[in-house]
Amino acid sequence: MERAGEKSTPAAAAEEERRWRWREGAVTYAHLLLYIALSSGQIFFNKWVLSSKQINFPYPVALTLLHMLFSSVVCFALIKVFKIIKIEEGMTTEIYATSVAPIGAMFAMTLWLGNSAYLYISVAFAQMLKAVMPVAVFFLGAAAGLEELSCRMFLIMSVISFGVIVASYGEVTISWVGVVYQMGGVIAEALRLTFIEIFLKKKGVKLNIISMMYYVSPCSALCLFVPWIFLEKPKMDSSGSWNFPPVTLFFNCLCTFLLNLSVFVVISRTSALTARVTGVVRDWVVVLFSALIFADTKLTVINIIGYAIAIAGVVGYNKHKLKVGTSPTASSQSNSNHNNPESSQDVQIPLVPPKEAA
């Protein structure tokens, strides 16, 4: 505050602006680091729970089912019991059946197949295979009329695919069962993102991450309950060697929920593109640290070269999406898209948000 009789000079105003931007930038980067830490930690946590001799809980469907049940209960408590968060209007039975249910089913498949892959392949190799995600999203989007085919995008997709092939060729011990699980998870995630984009553009419903989890989590839990009953419950009943540490599994579910919240916070402060670029950094962190943590991870030079090629393609894909998101034809959709963290339409938002007027 200014003292009586004093006037703010341009230099003082500039200094105040500089300090504010430094503080906001520091907070934003802190959120990005938190997202990287939570996301990387959750990947390692799931691998440890599923394959560790100490935990010995090799049931990915059951673990994913617990995640969805936990998310459903927490979202219900926040929205209906404590009324901390208000869900948006516009959800109907028809929209839920035709849009939310497919999203929930694909989300369940993504988590189930992705976690199952950790039983057969290393964390590092799983992340390398995930780099092919933009390829699957692009071709499914093109089939649904959401993406335009172009020579530039075809080149980018070719670079990503070539990098993943090289990285796979350099894998020392490869399990094709794990590869099938992981690629199935990639396709399911690509379908989920495509369904979300159709949901947003054609249905016109806007949901924040809590509202989305409130609607999607119970559906995903139901989709996971059926395969759990037939595939894993008989094994769990007949095997007496597995452990069920309640405290460990509670914190595992809590970390998953906090990770989803961190994604919402990051996108709220920056943009969907920044979150995806941060995800690229996260992937490198996971690949490098998994080589130090897990004995089944042995990185080769070919692994690293192939993954670097794939990541270069992913960066090119993100840059292309940024240009599309800031083009004149996309600017008319900015207001409806930037409020939704699941939208695949990128809106360029400064890393430091604009300063509000006093």
Side-chain angles (χ1 to χ4, degrees):
M1 295 180 62
E2 298 178 10
R3 295 181 181 178
E6 290 186 358
K7 294 183 178 180
S8 176
T9 64
E15 179 65 19
E16 181 184 356
E17 178 75 12
R18 186 187 67 81
R19 290 180 179 177
W20 177 86
R21 285 190 170 277
W22 187 91
R23 288 195 300 268
E24 289 297 312
V27 172
T28 299
Y29 281 107
H31 282 103
L32 294 176
L33 290 174
L34 178 62
Y35 163 70
I36 292 174
L38 284 174
S39 184
S40 304
Q42 184 62 24
I43 292 173
F44 294 141
F45 203 170
N46 286 343
K47 171 73 173 180
W48 185 59
V49 169
L50 290 168
S51 61
S52 172
K53 294 181 179 180
Q54 287 75 26
I55 300 299
N56 192 25
F57 192 74
Y59 302 104
V61 180
L63 182 64
T64 308
L65 176 60
L66 287 174
H67 290 168
M68 293 298 98
L69 291 175
F70 183 89
S71 177
S72 301
V73 171
V74 172
C75 289
F76 180 83
L78 291 174
I79 293 173
K80 295 297 185 180
V81 179
F82 300 104
K83 300 183 185 303
I84 298 175
I85 298 173
K86 183 179 179 181
I87 60 175
E88 293 81 355
E89 302 294 333
M91 181 62 66
T92 64
T93 304
E94 187 270 337
I95 291 178
Y96 191 92
T98 59
S99 298
V100 176
I103 292 172
M106 290 302 101
F107 191 37
M109 289 290 291
T110 300
L111 298 175
W112 169 21
L113 297 176
N115 284 333
S116 297
Y118 291 142
L119 297 175
Y120 302 94
I121 59 178
S122 67
V123 172
F125 188 46
Q127 293 304 120
M128 293 177 189
L129 293 176
K130 284 182 183 179
V132 80
M133 176 69 69
V135 179
V137 173
F138 173 73
F139 283 111
L140 286 173
L146 302 173
E147 297 278 359
E148 293 184 3
L149 294 172
S150 65
C151 293
R152 181 182 180 85
M153 287 301 293
F154 183 78
L155 177 61
I156 292 173
M157 298 302 112
S158 299
V159 170
I160 296 174
S161 302
F162 176 73
V164 172
I165 292 173
V166 172
S168 302
Y169 181 79
E171 184 68 8
V172 177
T173 55
I174 185 170
S175 169
W176 290 108
V177 175
V179 171
V180 170
Y181 271 124
Q182 187 61 53
M183 296 309 296
V186 167
I187 294 174
E189 176 66 3
L191 284 170
R192 184 182 77 93
L193 296 176
T194 302
F195 288 150
I196 286 174
E197 187 161 1
I198 295 174
F199 175 55
L200 294 171
K201 290 185 175 180
K202 296 186 178 180
K203 304 296 183 179
V205 179
K206 302 175 184 177
L207 299 174
N208 61 40
I209 190 66
I210 297 296
S211 300
M212 181 67 78
M213 292 166 62
Y214 172 77
Y215 288 119
V216 169
S217 296
C219 180
S220 297
L222 181 62
C223 292
L224 289 165
F225 183 76
V226 175
W228 176 73
I229 286 290
F230 292 101
L231 297 180
E232 286 192 352
K233 189 177 183 301
K235 296 179 182 179
M236 297 175 72
D237 292 338
S238 61
S239 175
S241 60
W242 62 276
N243 298 317
F244 189 92
V247 176
T248 301
L249 292 176
F250 169 79
F251 279 110
N252 185 263
C253 294
L254 180 62
C255 286
T256 301
F257 185 79
L258 292 177
L259 172 59
N260 290 328
L261 291 183
S262 71
V263 173
F264 173 67
V265 172
V266 166
I267 296 176
S268 298
R269 290 192 64 88
T270 57
S271 67
L273 178 69
T274 302
R276 284 213 297 262
V277 173
T278 306
V280 173
V281 178
R282 182 276 316 275
D283 292 341
W284 271 111
V285 170
V286 171
V287 169
L288 296 177
F289 271 83
S290 62
L292 301 175
I293 297 174
F294 297 109
D296 64 344
T297 301
K298 294 180 175 62
L299 294 179
T300 65
V301 175
I302 298 178
N303 272 149
I304 297 174
I305 292 175
Y307 190 51
I309 295 173
I311 290 299
V314 173
V315 172
Y317 171 80
N318 288 334
K319 290 180 65 178
H320 177 78
K321 294 295 288 184
L322 173 61
K323 291 180 180 179
V324 173
T326 56
S327 64
T329 56
S331 60
S332 61
Q333 301 175 357
S334 297
N335 291 334
S336 63
N337 285 332
H338 85 277
N339 288 325
N340 198 303
E342 296 292 347
S343 175
S344 63
Q345 177 68 44
D346 297 319
V347 181
Q348 188 177 18
I349 301 176
L351 198 58
V352 178
K355 187 176 182 181
E356 297 180 358

